[in-house]
C-alpha cells in the first residue's frame, strides 16, 4: 500500500475519530513499526481484536488504526476508557510480551484532557498544538497561505 494510506477497523457503533461520543473519555496506545513487520502485526492484531484476546474487558478496545508513512508505519489501539489504568497496563503488557513492542516505543494519548487553568483563569493551552491557535503542516504556522485571489503564497 502507498504511504499516506490509513486503515481503520472499529467495532460497530464507533467511528475512527476522537469526536465520537462513545470515545468521550477515550485514549489510544500508539507505536511505530518497521515496514517489514507492518503486515504481520496488523493481521495479528486484527485477529486478536476480533477474538477478544487483548484485554480482560472486551468492551475496552474499540478500534485499530494503521497509518502508512514513508519511512515507518504507525499502529494505534483505540480504547474507550482512559481512566481504566489497570486495563491499559494489561494491554500495554500484552504489546510488550506478545507482539515484542519495546515499552519505550508505546505512546499513550488521552483524547480529551481537561483544560488546565492559570491562576488568572487563562487557558494554558493557548498557542499550543491542539489549543485555540490554528496550526497547519508546513510553512505558515497557521496563517492562510493564499492571497485574496486564491493564489498560493509559497
Amino acid at each position: 500500500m502507498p504511504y499516506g494510506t490509513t486503515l481503520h477497523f472499529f467495532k460497530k457503533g464507533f467511528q475512527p475519530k476522537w469526536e465520537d461520543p462513545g470515545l468521550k473519555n477515550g485514549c489510544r496506545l500508539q507505536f511505530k513499526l518497521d515496514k517489514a513487520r507492518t503486515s504481520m502485526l496488523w493481521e495479528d492484531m486484527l485477529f486478536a481484536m476480533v477474538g477478544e484476546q487483548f484485554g480482560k474487558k472486551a468492551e475496552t478496545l474499540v478500534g485499530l488504526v494503521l497509518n502508512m508513512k514513508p519511512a515507518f508505519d504507525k499502529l494505534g489501539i483505540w480504547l474507550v476508557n482512559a481512566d481504566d489504568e489497570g486495563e491499559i497496563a494489561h494491554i500495554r503488557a500484552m504489546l510488550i510480551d506478545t507482539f515484542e513492542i519495546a515499552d519505550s516505543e508505546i505512546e499513550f494519548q488521552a483524547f480529551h484532557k481537561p483544560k488546565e487553568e492559570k491562576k488568572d483563569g487563562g487557558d494554558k493551552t493557548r498557542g499550543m498544538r491542539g489549543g485555540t491557535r490554528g496550526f497547519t503542516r508546513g510553512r505558515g504556522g497557521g496563517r492562510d497561505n493564499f492571497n485574496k485571489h486564491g493564489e498560493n503564497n509559497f
Side-chain angles (χ1 to χ4, degrees):
M1 282 183 271
Y3 72 85
T5 300
T6 300
L7 299 176
H8 304 102
F9 184 81
F10 277 72
K11 288 183 178 179
K12 187 175 183 175
F14 290 93
Q15 294 182 343
K17 57 184 184 179
W18 298 0
E19 299 85 7
D20 186 309
L23 294 170
K24 66 183 176 200
N25 193 33
C27 63
R28 73 175 169 194
L29 295 171
Q30 181 171 276
F31 51 91
K32 293 178 182 178
L33 294 168
D34 292 328
K35 292 233 172 241
R37 293 186 66 199
T38 299
S39 181
M40 180 196 66
L41 275 173
W42 173 250
E43 184 178 300
D44 288 348
M45 289 197 183
L46 282 172
F47 286 133
M49 183 180 168
V50 170
E52 298 180 349
Q53 300 299 308
F54 263 104
K56 299 171 188 165
K57 304 173 191 169
E59 70 277 357
T60 301
L61 190 139
V62 295
L64 297 174
V65 176
L66 177 64
N67 302 104
M68 309 295 276
K69 306 282 185 180
F72 57 87
D73 298 320
K74 281 188 172 183
L75 204 150
I77 298 170
W78 288 40
L79 308 167
V80 78
N81 189 355
D83 296 328
D84 193 344
E85 294 175 10
E87 188 65 7
I88 293 168
H90 176 77
I91 292 171
R92 186 181 196 108
M94 183 178 181
L95 291 173
I96 295 166
D97 297 338
T98 306
F99 297 106
E100 300 176 352
I101 308 296
D103 187 38
S104 61
E105 294 291 319
I106 302 170
E107 301 171 9
F108 173 84
Q109 181 182 21
F111 297 149
H112 302 283
K113 298 177 192 170
K115 290 185 180 179
E116 297 178 29
E117 296 284 327
K118 289 184 181 178
K119 288 183 182 177
D120 65 357
D123 182 1
K124 275 188 168 181
T125 62
R126 183 171 297 282
M128 296 173 62
R129 187 174 185 111
T132 56
R133 191 168 142 205
F135 283 86
T136 62
R137 291 189 136 170
R139 287 180 34 191
R143 292 192 322 262
D144 186 3
N145 292 318
F146 296 90
N147 64 21
K148 65 182 178 181
H149 304 291
E151 298 164 339
N152 196 331
N153 286 331
F154 287 112

